[in-house]
């Protein structure tokens, strides 16, 4: 049985590995000159492979898609992933936050070892092949530097990624190709992304590029439940990005979609409460400047003081009780998420409802989907890669299972 994988990111490579191990002849095609480019980029940030938290909590990271991920992660979850990496000669460790990384914090050695093993298993790689759809039943079309190519496949796994960082290969050009075949797709949106604020010229000039540390983001979900997320982020030319902003980005993006703007509430003094801050700020200032008073009484200085000045009115600034409330819940108005191209990951994609349990597109028998091109999202923390590996494995095995049953059916 000849299985074609289109897309050589973590999901496609895992699909290739599982299909090949199950006895299929596997050819993998990728648009770029080499595979795994986004995976290598993830390695620049330490390659957070997965997370060590209890399975229920882990599963909750997939939000409304937890039902679909439960069986996928039950067969290939964080422990299986760590064992798999170990099998490639890559030891992993659990960081202080519970996140799991390769011992050397790099992606390249893992990818090298993996590709070596895949080639040894007989997987054939065809780079600089951009999939452009189908020219007939089971006949895939590719553009290559040497012209167009048609490739026959008994089954196909599409693992084409989302739409973030398109220069690394995933440019979402598959969306119209599947949409015209009536595959149901949720619109692609940025996930784990930054936001535009529209800073004043003065604030931007003074603080763009500054990290804001020891803060917490407070967000309210659509059901009205408030959650508090400690962390840090960075002020950008246009707004905010990084760590804790990514954590709360799905709720903020959805609020912007629903209302046009969103309010990010920042706790600039997570270790103090409002009464303590009010008491400290009410102490006589004497001849000290307000900046010195804020620093001495509330440990607020630099970019945090700048944020207060940017957002809080003069009247509120002069009132210790109102200033204390602002320090604990500074409302920063967000006007737009940053574009998908800049996001860490993609929300939206092929709906699970369009797929069967093996991840085969119901309306396109023999065509399976995996990875970030599916409609799910999760925060950073290793959940993205874990999901790509798990869906890649399921799609690869699903393709073999489908072909095997079809053969048996024909013989019978
Ligand atoms: C800066 C950054 C850091 C990240 N760090 C982490 C991290 O530490 N931990 C984590 O869990 N996740 C991380 N991620 C996310 C993670 O890298 C992605 O979720 C993951 O790579 C998606 O895997 P995929 O196989 O679905 O798609 P991709 O990795 O995007 O691969 C898709 C492949 O398909 C190919 N392709 C696309 N269209 C076509 C076509 N028409 N024809 C042929 N080939 C095509 C592309 O060239 C590409 O090789 C990070 C992402 C970024 C941007």
């Amino acid at each position: 049985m000849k299985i074609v994988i289109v897309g050589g990111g973590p999901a496609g490579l895992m699909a290739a590995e599982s299909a090949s191990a199950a006895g299929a002849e596997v050819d993998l095609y990728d648009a770029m000159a080499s595979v795994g480019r986004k995976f290598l980029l993830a390695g620049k940030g330490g390659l957070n492979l997965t997370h060590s938290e209890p399975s229920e909590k882990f599963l909750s990271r997939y939000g409304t898609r937890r039902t679909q991920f439960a069986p996928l992660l039950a067969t290939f979850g964080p422990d299986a992933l760590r064992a798999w990496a170990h099998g490639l000669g890559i030891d992993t460790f659990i960081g202080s936050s519970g996140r799991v990384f390769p011992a050397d914090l790099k992606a390249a050695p893992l990818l090298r070892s993996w590709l070596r093993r895949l080639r040894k298993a007989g997987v054939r790689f065809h780079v600089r092949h951009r999939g452009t759809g189908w020219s007939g039943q089971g006949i895939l079309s590719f553009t290559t530097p040497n012209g167009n190519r048609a490739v026959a496949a008994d089954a196909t796994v599409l693992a084409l990624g989302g739409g973030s960082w398109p220069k690394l290969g995933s440019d979402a050009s598959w969306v119209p190709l599947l949409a015209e075949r009536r595959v149901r797709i949720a619109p692609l949106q940025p996930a784990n992304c930054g936001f535009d604020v529209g800073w004043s010229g003065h604030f931007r000039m003074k603080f763009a590029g500054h990290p804001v540390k020891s803060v917490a983001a407070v967000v309210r979900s659509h059901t009205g439940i408030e959650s508090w997320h400690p962390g840090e982020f960075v002020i950008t030319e246009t707004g905010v990005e990084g760590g804790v902003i990514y954590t709360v980005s799905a709720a903020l993006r959805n609020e912007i979609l629903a209302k046009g703007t969103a309010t990010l509430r920042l706790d600039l003094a997570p270790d103090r409460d409002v009464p303590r801050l009010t008491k400290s700020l009410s102490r006589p200032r004497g001849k000290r400047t307000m900046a010195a008073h804020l620093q001495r009484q509330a440990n607020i200085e630099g970019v945090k003081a700048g944020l207060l000045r940017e957002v809080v009115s003069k009247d509120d600034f002069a009132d210790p009780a109102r200033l204390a409330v602002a320090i604990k819940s500074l409302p920063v108005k967000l006007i737009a998420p940053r574009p998908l191209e800049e996001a860490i990951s993609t929300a939206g994609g092929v709906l699970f409802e369009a797929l069967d349990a093996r991840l085969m597109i119901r309306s396109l028998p023999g065509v399976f989907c995996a990875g970030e091109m599916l409609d799910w999202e999760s925060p950073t923390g290793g959940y993205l890669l874990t999901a790509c590996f798990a869906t890649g494995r399921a799609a690869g095995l699903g393709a073999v299972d489908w072909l095997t049953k079809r053969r048996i059916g024909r013989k019978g």
Side-chain angles (χ1 to χ4, degrees), residues 7 9-11 30-32 41-42 48 129 131 160-161 165 169-170 344 371-372 385:
D30 197 286
M32 302 300 280
L41 178 71
N48 182 190
H129 278 65
L160 303 169
W165 290 69
S170 309
I344 296 288
E372 219 180 283
L385 281 173

Side-chain angles (χ1 to χ4, degrees), residues 6-12 29-32 34-39 41-42 45-49 129-132 142 159-162 164-165 168-171 173-174 343-345 370-373 376 381-386 388:
V6 194
Y29 294 81
D30 197 286
M32 302 300 280
S34 59
V35 296
R37 293 195 172 198
K38 197 177 279 182
F39 186 66
L41 178 71
L47 194 67
N48 182 190
L49 274 176
H129 278 65
R130 171 164 294 282
T132 53
F142 292 92
L160 303 169
S164 77
W165 290 69
L168 301 179
S170 309
D171 60 2
S173 56
W174 55 266
I344 296 288
S345 62
E372 219 180 283
M373 69 182 292
W376 57 275
Y383 312 106
L384 295 164
L385 281 173
T386 307
C388 292

Side-chain angles (χ1 to χ4, degrees), residues 285 290 308-320 322-323 326:
R285 177 147 71 96
M290 188 59 194
L308 277 178
R309 291 271 181 207
E310 179 77 357
V311 174
V312 177
S313 71
K314 270 203 174 115
D315 283 353
D316 284 359
F317 217 95
D319 180 313
R322 295 214 296 264
L323 186 56

Side-chain angles (χ1 to χ4, degrees), residues 102-114:
D104 60 2
L105 296 170
K106 289 183 184 148
L110 190 155
L111 185 62
R112 260 200 310 274
S113 172
W114 194 9

Side-chain angles (χ1 to χ4, degrees), residues 95-169:
S96 54
S97 59
R99 294 175 180 219
V100 175
F101 301 91
D104 60 2
L105 296 170
K106 289 183 184 148
L110 190 155
L111 185 62
R112 260 200 310 274
S113 172
W114 194 9
L115 293 179
R116 215 179 299 127
R117 190 164 82 182
L118 286 168
R119 285 201 178 95
K120 217 168 148 196
V123 174
R124 290 181 293 256
F125 289 85
H126 311 265
V127 292
R128 295 197 173 93
H129 278 65
R130 171 164 294 282
T132 53
W134 290 267
S135 58
Q137 182 70 26
I139 312 286
L140 292 147
S141 327
F142 292 92
T143 54
T144 80
N146 303 320
N148 295 339
R149 212 181 138 189
V151 172
D154 296 326
T156 305
V157 177
L158 301 177
L160 303 169
S164 77
W165 290 69
K167 63 181 178 207
L168 301 179

